[in-house]
């Protein structure tokens, strides 16, 4: 009995295509319903980790027991750093700048003070820190905070000069207030200014030192509520630091001086030091210097104390970089920094302020970096940072994200990248060693590639929620160094960053890398583990341009040989000439020497290439008629075919990087075929050179390349003498137009031309190239490939346009190919082979080409010859069944916005289409049915940096540059979100607090020991009363609830933590038992000796002693 297809009947009663019972034919599998495994419950969006240097840092704090560093920023962000791989990011909701941070040392808590006069208590005992309490001051501005070690009372100084006291346990304000007028009394007739420093005497907790901006310092007795001493200096104070014995302190001033004071001698400073001032011979006061913004005074047991400060340079050092000064004994060392200094902290062995500090390192927070200096080695070397803080070493211009890449890639990149590491670092271990790694993480390798404005390309290992640099490639080495601006054409947008990377295309399996630069150049790299010296860089010059004149005969330039016929008999405007060496570059244009001008010049001297990525070919678009080339808008490389393809608003170029030639028969007119570009909808003139989404703007700020290209109009291809090859010029001119007869382009014509926006190599059904344009057209180009081996090196690849695949609204963003079961079909590729190995190039090429074809899966074979084309534009997504070209499904990506980024990714055994829209929505559609699976309003797109660097990847991973210095990674996989608690590291680990210093018997007897004080008796509600409710408002935070959620999730992690806790408990019990046995033994010995002494002197009289 005949089996009817009911869906075909409803679609159009296509009886003609139905088969008869007598002669059954195979079903058209394209119209069958393909089962899809992905459902909406598989998706959930959340942030995972943030990498890079904190953007616009403003403050810093360190916990010397937990070994954790906290950095606050001007945008209200907090970044916490522990051991390598332990990082955390959290954000204040208000977004106000963090002016100061204070750790509750070894308590797993942090206090932050913001510029909006609020104080927050953060709980660090959970993997995602949360705010437990907040206190918002309403009548006074916060200027300084101080939290003594092992104290629950926080001193808060204000702009009015008052000092308030906050209980950090309840975050309630004490009634004890130190008013500025009582603190200074009659020592000054004017207001002393804001409080710039608060600290207690290291040897007496009842004495509080308060520094005012005007130069007055007050030692306040907390018990008697009056000032013991007042110290006055003519210059404003910036910082204050105690000696650990509590008898001396130093102040840094605005005139570049340090004053050292004895506590009991308030009349005048004991010593005045001008570290960088010139001392006049006549005994006069030295010339004033720049302010010393901070100074620290740290003592050592075995030698002279350290004085560490920043600022204080003389005013005649104009243009000198920021410096940190280390004064130790009679030596003064000035350490220059790459960026301005924000803050610094001295890391000491003890957390107790009344003990010898024993400094061992200095953490210097800079505007765009932070360095750790080793104080224990001669010359003060820096520690090698294990954090990924060099992302912004040069501004990031593009990103690519590869999840679940080949497992041998990371070791290969690390092996060549380890040779690039600098020398001269400190040999000690990294001092920030707090926290623990997460219990679970993804098992697949992940690689992030970043392109930068200086032409460098960095490879990062992004596996297991970490980020570590693997390898750095400098593409600028291929070009000559421009000694002056006169060496290259005058283009304002390229004066600073002519080597900036614009687009990256990478084949992980073959390790072939292709980069496109802002100067309209393309470089092809191969990966090699051996060093090689290239005598001459292979260069291929291409002139790509339209002209609106009648069709002219092709111009063939240079000393060319006989022109062979095109294989296949297809006529072409020009044929490739037989390669002939040229002594110099010829010029066929009459428009002057600029026709062969470049923004940058390829070097003509031998190039030593270290193991890693080595240049294979350089392709440059040259100037024509005095106009620069249009920027490259799309790029793709295929290692299986040996082709690199790139396009812009003038057309498409296909280059065979194996034979170093340009493929003929692929002019712009042939691509468009019968689709007349002048009959399409024109767009209003605009200066932006982006197709629609503006994704080609690769520079920050003033380094914009929007106005650098004025569109010329012909396609010309030219080779260079460096490669000793010749490619004939090809000139394609448009012969007729249906509108104006003018021979020059108007502004509307320039902007209405189609740009190449998306490229895809496909093997279905034959080797081909799919080309997407800015006006929604998808074209196909078929390839005829020669046989592998020697034939590949001799016979050319034939490319022929194969018609239009589909047309959609808006610019094409993504192209992909699915097999008959809906599985993603990646482009064909070859496996990696060593290009500089002992075998000859032909054998290497042959062995690589033999593995070109991917084995077809059983499911794909069952599906017959049908496959699907996935096309996503700014407005629409469509799945087309091939080869029948029937529409399988179509979906509007966004009704009110448009897609900026789109990618076809694999997740949980299925395939889906992920899109980022301009309104900040992230949309996920199933394939091939295009069912909506996720639509989340993630973030408002306020910065084009996000759109330019946003990348989707497999397994539900994505990333973008959230600031010029930071990468934010997110996931849209529910499985990853559910396991996030296990993957994240722990900031707080149980560590025993070091024992307090033993001051000795005689110091305790004669008053040399530290004096303690019960602050509860002074600041509690019973003694001090309640504070005014209008002064500050208490706001409970959600941190406690989040902590309960975090501790409740993850059974495996809880069991592991419980096991660790039991082990630690058993270890501590064992130590306690040993200590108890030792004490018992000591007590028995003491009893025995005491009994012997008693027996010896029992019967003696007093005069016998």
């Amino acid at each position: 009995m005949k089996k009817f297809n009911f869906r075909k009947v409803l679609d159009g009663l296509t009886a003609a295509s139905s088969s008869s019972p007598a002669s059954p034919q195979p079903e058209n599998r394209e119209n069958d319903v393909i089962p899809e495994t992905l459902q909406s419950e598989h998706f959930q969006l959340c942030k995972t980790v943030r990498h890079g240097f904190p953007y616009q840092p403003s403050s810093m704090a360190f916990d010397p027991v937990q070994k954790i560093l906290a950095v606050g920023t001007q945008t209200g962000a907090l970044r916490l750093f522990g051991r390598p791989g332990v990082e955390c990011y959290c954000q204040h909701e208000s977004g106000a700048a963090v002016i100061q941070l204070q750790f509750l040392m070894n308590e797993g808590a942090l206090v932050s003070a913001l510029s909006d006069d609020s104080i927050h208590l953060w709980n660090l005992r959970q993997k995602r820190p949360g705010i437990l309490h907040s206190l918002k001051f309403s009548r006074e501005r916060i200027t300084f905070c101080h939290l003594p070690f092992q104290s629950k009372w926080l001193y808060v100084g204000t702009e009015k000069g008052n000092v308030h006291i906050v209980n950090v346990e309840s975050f309630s304000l004490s009634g004890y207030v130190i008013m500025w007028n009582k603190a200074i009394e009659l020592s000054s007739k004017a207001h002393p200014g804001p409080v710039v420093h608060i600290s207690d005497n290291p040897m007496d907790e009842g004495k509080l030192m308060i520094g005012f901006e005007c130069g007055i310092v007050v030692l306040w007795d907390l018990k008697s509520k009056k000032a013991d001493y007042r110290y006055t200096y003519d210059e404003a104070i910036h910082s204050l630091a105690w000696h650990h014995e509590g008898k001396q302190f130093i102040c840094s001033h605005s005139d570049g001086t340090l004053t050292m004071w004895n506590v009991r001698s308030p009349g005048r400073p004991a010593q005045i030091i001008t570290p960088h001032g010139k001392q006049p011979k006549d005994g006069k006061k030295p010339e004033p210097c720049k302010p010393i913004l901070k100074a620290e005074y740290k003592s050592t047991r075995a030698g002279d104390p350290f004085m560490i400060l920043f600022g204080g340079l003389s005013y005649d050092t104009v243009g000198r970089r920021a410096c940190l000064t280390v004064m130790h004994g009679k030596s003064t060392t000035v350490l220059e920094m790459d960026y301005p200094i924000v803050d610094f902290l001295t890391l000491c062995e003890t957390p107790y302020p009344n003990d010898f500090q024993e400094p061992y390192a200095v953490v210097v927070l800079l505007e765009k970096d932070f360095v750790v200096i080793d104080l224990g080695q001669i010359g003060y070397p820096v520690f090698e940072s294990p954090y990924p803080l060099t992302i912004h070493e040069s501004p990031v211009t593009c990103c690519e994200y590869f999840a679940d890449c080949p497992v041998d890639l990371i070791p290969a990149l690390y092996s060549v990248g380890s040779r690039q590491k600098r020398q001269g670092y400190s040999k000690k271990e990294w001092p920030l060693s707090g926290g623990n790694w997460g219990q679970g993480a993804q098992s697949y390798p992940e690689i992030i590639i970043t392109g930068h404005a200086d032409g460098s390309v960095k490879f990062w290992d992004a596996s297991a929620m970490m980020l570590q640099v693997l390898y750095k490639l400098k593409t600028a080495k291929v070009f000559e160094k421009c000694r002056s601006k006169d060496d290259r054409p005058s283009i304002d947008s390229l004066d600073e960053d002519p080597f900036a990377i614009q687009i990256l295309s990478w084949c992980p399996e073959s390790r072939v890398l292709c980069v496109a630069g802002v100067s309209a150049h393309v470089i092809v790299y191969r990966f090699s583990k051996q060093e090689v010296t290239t005598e001459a860089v292979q260069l291929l010059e291409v002139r790509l341009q339209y002209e609106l004149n009648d069709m002219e005969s092709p111009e063939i330039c240079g000393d060319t040989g006989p022109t062979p016929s095109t294989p296949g008999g297809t006529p072409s405007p020009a044929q490739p000439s037989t390669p002939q060496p040229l002594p110099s570059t010829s010029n066929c244009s009459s428009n002057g020497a600029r026709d062969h001008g470049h923004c940058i010049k390829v070097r003509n001297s031998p190039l030593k290439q270290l193991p890693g990525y080595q240049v294979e070919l350089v392709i440059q678009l040259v100037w024509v008629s005095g106009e620069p080339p249009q920027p490259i808008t799309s790029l793709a490389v295929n290692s299986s075919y040996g082709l690199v393809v790139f396009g812009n608003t003038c057309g498409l170029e296909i280059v065979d990087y194996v034979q170093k030639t340009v493929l003929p028969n692929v002019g712009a007119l042939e691509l468009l075929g019968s689709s007349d570009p002048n009959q399409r909808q024109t767009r209003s003139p605009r200066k932006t050179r982006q197709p629609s989404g503006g994704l080609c703007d690769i520079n920050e700020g003033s380094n914009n390349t929007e106005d650098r290209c004025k569109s010329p109009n012909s396609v010309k291809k030219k080779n260079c003498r460096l490669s000793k090859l010749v490619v004939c010029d090809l000139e394609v001119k448009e012969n007729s137009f249906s509108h104006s007869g003018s021979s020059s382009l108007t502004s509307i014509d320039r902007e209405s031309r189609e740009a190449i926006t998306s490229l895809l190599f496909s093997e279905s059904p034959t080797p081909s190239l799919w080309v997407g344009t800015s006006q929604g057209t998808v074209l196909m180009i078929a390839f005829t490939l020669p046989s592998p081996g020697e034939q590949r090196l001799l016979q050319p690849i034939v490319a022929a346009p194969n018609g239009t695949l589909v047309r959609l609204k808006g610019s094409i963003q993504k192209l992909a190919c699915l097999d008959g079961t809906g599985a993603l079909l990646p482009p064909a590729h070859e496996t990696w082979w060593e290009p500089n190995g002992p075998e000859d190039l032909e054998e290497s090429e042959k062995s690589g080409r033999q593995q070109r074809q991917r084995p077809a899966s059983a499911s794909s074979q069952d599906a017959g010859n049908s496959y699907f084309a996935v096309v996503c534009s700014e407005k629409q997504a469509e799945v087309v069944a091939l080869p029948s070209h029937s529409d399988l499904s179509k979906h509007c990506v966004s009704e009110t916005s448009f897609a900026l980024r789109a990618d076809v990714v694999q997740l949980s055994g299925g395939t889906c289409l992920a899109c980022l829209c301009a309104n900040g929505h992230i949309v996920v559609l199933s394939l091939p049915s295009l069912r909506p699976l996720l639509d989340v309003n993630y973030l408002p797109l306020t910065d084009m940096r996000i759109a330019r660097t946003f990348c989707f990847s497999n397994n539900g991973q994505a990333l973008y540059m959230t600031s010029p210095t930071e990468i934010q990674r997110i996931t849209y996989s529910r499985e990853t979100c559910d396991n996030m608690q296990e993957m994240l590291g722990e900031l707080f680990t149980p560590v025993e607090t070091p024992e307090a210093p033993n001051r000795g018997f005689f110091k305790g007897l004669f008053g040399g020991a530290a004096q303690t004080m019960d602050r509860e008796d002074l600041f509690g509600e019973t003694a001090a009363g309640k504070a005014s409710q209008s002064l500050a408002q208490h706001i409970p935070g959600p941190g406690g609830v989040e902590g309960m959620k975090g501790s409740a999730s993850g059974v495996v992690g809880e069991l592991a933590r419980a096991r660790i806790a039991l082990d630690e408990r058993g270890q501590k019990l064992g130590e306690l038992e040993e200590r108890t046995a030792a004490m018992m033994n000591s007590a028995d010995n003491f009893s025995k000796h005491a009994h012997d002494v008693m027996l010896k002197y029992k019967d003696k009289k007093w005069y016998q002693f």
Side-chain angles (χ1 to χ4, degrees):
M1 182 178 178
K2 179 180 177 181
K3 182 178 180 181
F4 290 100
N5 193 322
F6 187 68
R7 184 175 179 179
K8 288 184 179 179
V9 176
L10 292 180
D11 285 342
L13 300 176
T14 56
S17 62
S18 61
S19 59
S20 64
S23 58
Q25 298 178 0
E27 289 185 23
N28 187 356
R29 301 292 298 268
E30 299 169 358
N31 292 327
D32 290 346
V33 177
I34 298 176
E36 297 176 355
T37 59
L38 292 180
Q39 304 297 328
S40 58
E41 55 265 20
H42 291 111
F43 296 89
Q44 181 181 348
L45 192 67
C46 69
K47 295 181 180 180
T48 53
V49 291
R50 180 173 292 198
H51 304 295
F53 180 74
Y55 183 56
Q56 295 180 337
S58 57
S59 59
M60 180 173 55
F62 179 71
D63 188 333
V65 182
Q66 288 289 321
K67 307 291 186 182
I68 294 290
L69 181 76
V71 177
T73 71
Q74 297 180 21
T75 59
L78 284 180
R79 292 286 300 278
L80 296 109
F81 298 91
R83 66 176 59 192
V86 177
E87 298 181 35
C88 183
Y89 161 79
C90 37
Q91 176 72 41
H92 293 90
E93 290 185 2
S94 65
V98 181
I99 59 175
Q100 198 171 356
L101 296 171
Q102 291 278 314
F103 271 104
L104 277 70
M105 295 183 186
N106 205 27
E107 296 293 334
L110 175 71
V111 175
S112 60
L114 307 187
S115 60
D116 64 351
D117 309 314
S118 61
I119 302 174
H120 307 272
L121 177 65
W122 290 85
N123 179 17
L124 305 184
R125 291 176 177 258
Q126 56 197 50
K127 292 189 174 182
R128 290 189 181 273
I131 295 178
L132 294 174
H133 301 281
S134 297
L135 195 64
K136 182 72 167 63
F137 283 76
S138 57
R139 293 191 299 182
E140 296 197 50
R141 304 296 307 272
I142 298 174
T143 57
F144 196 88
C145 296
H146 171 63
L147 181 65
F149 179 50
Q150 293 182 329
S151 171
K152 67 176 183 179
W153 297 97
L154 174 71
Y155 301 103
V156 180
T158 67
E159 193 175 37
K160 291 183 177 180
N162 303 326
V163 177
H164 301 275
I165 302 171
V166 178
N167 186 332
V168 294
E169 291 183 351
S170 61
F171 245 55
S172 58
L173 206 58
S174 170
Y176 193 110
V177 182
I178 303 175
M179 306 300 292
W180 67 270
N181 52 354
K182 292 184 178 180
I184 67 170
E185 288 188 349
L186 301 178
S187 61
S188 175
K189 297 180 180 180
H191 190 278
V195 174
V196 296
H197 180 85
I198 304 174
S199 61
D200 48 352
N201 190 314
M203 301 302 294
D204 191 351
E205 295 178 353
K207 308 294 184 181
L208 191 68
M209 185 71 76
I210 307 171
F212 296 94
E213 187 182 53
C214 69
I216 298 177
V217 178
V218 176
L219 185 63
W220 183 265
D221 190 327
L222 293 171
K223 293 183 180 179
S224 62
K225 299 183 180 181
K226 64 178 183 180
D228 284 351
Y229 300 102
R230 297 180 179 88
Y231 314 85
T232 305
Y233 193 69
D234 296 337
E235 299 293 336
I237 293 177
H238 286 279
S239 68
L240 188 148
W242 281 99
H243 188 272
H244 80 280
E245 293 181 347
K247 298 178 181 179
Q248 285 184 332
F249 64 92
I250 62 171
C251 297
S252 66
H253 299 277
S254 58
D255 63 344
T257 60
L258 291 174
T259 56
M260 183 176 294
W261 300 78
N262 293 325
V263 173
R264 299 182 181 273
S265 301
R268 63 175 184 174
Q271 188 178 1
I272 300 177
I273 306 172
T274 308
H276 300 286
K278 297 179 182 179
Q279 300 293 337
K281 297 180 180 180
D282 53 3
K284 294 183 180 180
K285 187 177 180 180
E287 296 180 0
C289 297
K290 297 177 182 178
I292 298 178
L293 301 177
K294 186 176 182 179
E296 290 194 351
Y297 192 20
K298 303 298 180 181
S299 57
T300 60
R301 296 180 186 273
D304 297 320
F306 281 88
M307 286 189 186
I308 306 170
L309 54 101
F310 84 91
L313 298 177
S314 60
Y315 282 101
D316 58 2
T317 57
V318 179
R320 187 173 183 178
R321 293 187 294 181
C323 298
L324 184 78
T325 304
V326 180
M327 303 173 64
H328 185 216
K330 295 182 180 180
S331 67
T332 299
T333 305
V334 179
L335 305 174
E336 285 194 348
M337 302 294 160
D338 293 333
Y339 305 101
I341 298 176
V342 177
D343 195 4
F344 77 89
L345 289 173
T346 307
L347 309 187
C348 301
E349 297 288 350
T350 177
Y352 293 94
N354 57 357
D355 193 9
F356 287 96
Q357 299 299 288
E358 300 293 342
Y360 60 89
V362 179
V363 180
V364 186
L365 179 63
L366 309 176
E367 283 189 359
K368 294 184 179 181
D369 195 4
F370 81 77
V371 296
V372 182
I373 301 170
D374 186 1
L375 294 178
Q377 294 188 25
I378 299 175
Y380 304 130
V382 300
F383 290 87
E384 184 178 8
S385 176
Y387 308 132
L389 302 179
T390 59
I391 295 175
H392 64 286
E393 187 177 21
S394 176
V396 176
T397 54
C398 59
C399 288
E400 294 293 338
Y401 188 13
F402 298 88
D404 199 10
C405 53
V407 294
D408 59 340
L409 264 179
I410 292 178
L413 290 169
Y414 181 80
S415 64
V416 297
S418 60
R419 308 179 189 182
Q420 299 177 334
K421 292 187 177 180
R422 293 171 50 191
Q423 304 296 325
Y425 289 109
S426 173
K427 298 180 180 180
K428 296 181 181 179
E429 292 185 0
W430 181 249
L432 308 181
S433 57
N436 283 326
W437 295 309
Q439 298 293 331
Q442 293 99 334
S443 58
Y444 51 85
E446 301 173 77
I447 290 180
I448 297 173
I449 306 179
T450 55
H452 300 264
D454 63 350
S456 60
V457 178
K458 293 183 180 180
F459 292 79
W460 305 83
D461 178 10
S463 308
M465 293 292 175
M466 299 183 185
L467 193 68
Q468 181 182 8
V469 65
L470 293 173
Y471 174 71
K472 181 180 179 180
L473 171 66
K474 297 180 179 179
T475 64
K477 289 184 176 180
V478 179
F479 303 97
E480 298 282 355
K481 294 182 179 179
C482 296
R483 300 172 184 173
S484 65
K485 293 184 179 181
D486 298 334
D487 293 347
R488 57 177 179 263
S490 177
I491 303 177
D492 295 338
S493 59
L494 299 181
D495 282 345
E496 296 183 7
D497 301 316
F499 309 111
I501 304 299
Q502 190 169 0
I503 309 175
L504 292 166
S505 180
W506 188 48
C507 178
E509 290 78 12
S510 64
R511 305 180 190 175
V512 174
L513 174 69
C514 191
V515 298
V518 72
S519 298
H521 63 275
V522 176
I523 311 177
V524 182
Y525 288 92
R526 284 190 182 273
F527 185 85
S528 175
K529 295 182 179 180
Q530 299 183 13
E531 182 178 324
V532 66
T533 300
T534 305
E535 294 298 328
V537 177
Q538 298 286 326
L539 173 64
L540 191 65
E541 286 187 345
V542 176
R543 290 193 285 178
L544 187 58
Q545 191 178 15
Y546 268 100
E547 285 188 7
L548 304 183
N549 298 328
D550 295 336
M551 196 66 174
E552 295 181 4
S553 60
E555 298 178 5
I556 300 178
C557 302
D559 187 10
T560 62
T563 303
S565 60
T566 304
T570 305
S572 69
Q575 307 294 343
S577 61
T578 305
Q580 297 284 344
L582 271 184
S584 63
T585 302
S586 60
N587 189 356
C588 304
S589 175
S590 60
N591 293 311
R594 253 190 158 172
D595 281 7
H596 281 278
H598 298 292
C599 300
I600 48 180
K601 297 180 181 179
V602 176
R603 61 185 297 167
N604 54 10
S605 58
L607 175 63
K608 181 180 179 181
Q609 303 194 74
L610 298 176
Y613 275 100
Q614 299 172 355
V615 62
E616 177 85 2
L617 176 66
V618 178
I619 308 165
Q620 281 189 302
L621 296 182
V622 299
W623 292 49
V624 180
S625 304
E627 295 287 345
Q630 290 280 357
I632 296 171
T633 57
S634 58
L635 176 71
V637 64
N638 188 285
S639 60
S640 176
Y641 307 158
L643 298 178
V644 57
V645 186
F646 58 93
N648 57 15
T649 56
C650 293
L652 180 74
E653 284 296 340
I654 304 177
V655 176
D656 184 345
Y657 65 81
V658 177
Q659 297 185 13
K660 314 295 189 298
T661 56
V662 178
L663 267 64
N665 298 339
V666 195
L669 290 179
E670 287 83 353
L671 275 179
L672 296 175
S674 60
S675 303
D676 186 0
N678 302 296
Q679 296 177 359
R680 306 189 182 198
Q681 181 181 1
T682 59
R683 301 187 180 186
S684 60
R686 53 184 176 179
K687 291 185 179 180
T688 56
R689 61 184 179 85
Q690 298 86 352
S692 292
L695 297 178
C696 300
D697 180 14
I698 68 167
N699 290 315
E700 301 290 340
S702 61
N703 297 332
N704 199 333
T705 59
E706 292 178 355
D707 299 328
R708 76 178 185 91
C709 297
K710 309 297 181 182
S711 55
N713 280 355
S714 75
V715 180
K716 298 183 181 181
K717 305 179 180 68
K718 185 82 179 165
N719 203 0
C720 181
R721 55 188 170 89
L722 294 179
S723 63
K724 304 303 180 183
L725 297 175
V726 178
V727 175
C728 69
D729 286 345
L730 174 63
E731 193 173 299
V732 177
K733 301 184 179 180
E734 210 160 323
N735 55 359
S736 63
F737 279 86
S738 58
H739 56 87
S740 172
S742 173
S743 60
S744 62
L745 280 177
T746 63
S747 60
I748 295 181
D749 295 328
R750 288 172 180 156
E751 296 302 329
S752 64
R753 289 204 317 271
E754 288 187 85
I756 308 299
T757 58
S758 184
L759 298 167
L760 175 70
F761 286 96
S762 174
E763 291 257 329
S764 301
T766 58
S768 59
L769 174 68
W770 298 357
V771 182
T773 70
S774 58
Q775 293 193 10
T777 304
V778 178
L779 309 165
M780 294 183 66
I781 300 175
F783 295 125
T784 302
L785 303 176
S787 302
E790 186 177 356
Q791 296 296 323
R792 175 64 183 88
L793 301 177
L794 299 177
Q795 295 183 4
I797 296 177
V798 179
N802 201 17
T804 301
L805 177 64
V806 70
R807 289 181 183 174
L808 296 179
K809 295 180 180 179
S811 175
I812 301 297
Q813 298 293 330
K814 183 63 181 177
L815 299 171
C817 185
L818 307 179
D819 64 12
T821 63
L824 181 64
L825 284 177
H829 59 81
E830 65 179 8
T831 56
W832 176 78
W833 48 271
E834 175 57 60
N836 300 320
E839 65 273 11
D840 58 3
L841 181 62
E842 289 81 5
E843 292 298 323
S844 301
E845 196 74 36
K846 181 178 179 181
S847 63
R849 294 291 171 179
Q850 287 175 348
Q851 304 182 35
R852 176 176 67 86
Q853 296 290 343
R854 286 182 177 271
S857 62
S859 59
S860 178
Q861 293 174 0
D862 295 340
N865 296 326
S866 63
Y867 59 100
F868 305 98
V870 180
V871 183
C872 182
S873 70
E874 293 175 328
K875 288 290 187 180
Q876 297 173 318
E878 184 173 359
V879 177
V880 180
L882 297 175
S884 64
H885 288 264
S886 60
D887 295 343
L888 184 68
S889 55
K890 198 170 185 178
H891 183 80
C892 179
V893 176
S894 177
E895 296 289 346
T896 59
S897 185
F898 57 93
L900 290 171
R901 287 285 182 178
D903 205 349
V904 175
V905 294
Q906 295 175 317
L907 172 67
S908 302
T911 307
C912 59
L913 174 66
C915 303
L916 170 69
C917 298
N919 57 5
H921 283 247
I922 292 181
V923 179
V924 178
L925 305 174
S926 68
L927 288 176
S929 64
L930 295 179
R931 288 181 298 108
L933 298 175
L934 179 72
D935 189 349
V936 177
N937 186 7
Y938 175 61
L939 78 168
L941 203 64
T942 57
D943 196 340
M944 278 306 301
R945 181 190 306 105
I946 298 175
R948 190 180 64 245
T949 59
F950 200 99
C951 300
F952 290 103
S953 191
N954 293 328
N955 299 323
Q957 305 297 323
L959 64 83
Y960 60 93
M961 291 291 296
T962 185
S963 72
T965 62
E966 296 169 293
I967 289 179
Q968 178 66 58
R969 294 168 65 179
I970 63 175
T971 181
Y972 47 95
S973 168
R974 181 177 293 275
E975 181 182 1
T976 305
C977 292
D978 294 341
N979 297 329
M980 188 55 57
Q981 284 291 333
E982 301 299 329
M983 298 178 185
L984 296 177
E986 294 183 359
L987 291 171
F988 178 79
T989 55
V991 179
E992 186 175 353
T993 304
E995 294 183 359
N998 185 9
R999 306 304 300 177
F1001 173 76
F1002 290 103
K1003 285 190 177 182
L1005 182 64
F1006 295 106
Q1011 302 295 320
T1012 59
M1013 179 191 67
D1014 189 357
R1015 294 185 176 91
E1016 184 69 31
D1017 293 341
L1018 289 177
F1019 307 144
E1021 186 176 336
T1022 304
K1026 292 184 178 181
S1028 173
Q1029 295 183 357
S1030 61
L1031 182 61
Q1033 178 187 3
H1034 175 258
I1035 305 172
V1041 179
E1042 293 295 324
M1044 293 174 60
K1045 289 181 180 179
S1047 61
S1049 64
V1051 177
V1052 177
E1054 286 298 330
L1055 291 176
R1057 283 189 287 271
R1059 189 180 297 109
I1060 294 173
L1062 287 175
D1063 294 341
E1064 292 177 351
R1065 178 180 174 84
Q1067 183 180 0
K1068 290 182 179 179
L1069 288 176
E1071 294 176 355
L1072 180 61
E1073 184 177 357
E1074 294 176 359
R1075 202 176 301 170
T1076 304
M1079 293 177 62
M1080 291 178 62
N1081 189 22
S1082 177
D1084 291 340
N1085 292 335
F1086 181 78
S1087 175
K1088 181 179 179 181
H1089 288 300
H1091 184 70
D1092 293 341
V1093 172
M1094 185 269 294
L1095 291 178
K1096 182 178 179 180
Y1097 297 104
K1098 179 178 179 182
D1099 297 329
K1100 290 187 177 183
K1101 304 298 181 182
W1102 64 270
Y1103 52 84
Q1104 294 177 328
F1105 285 98

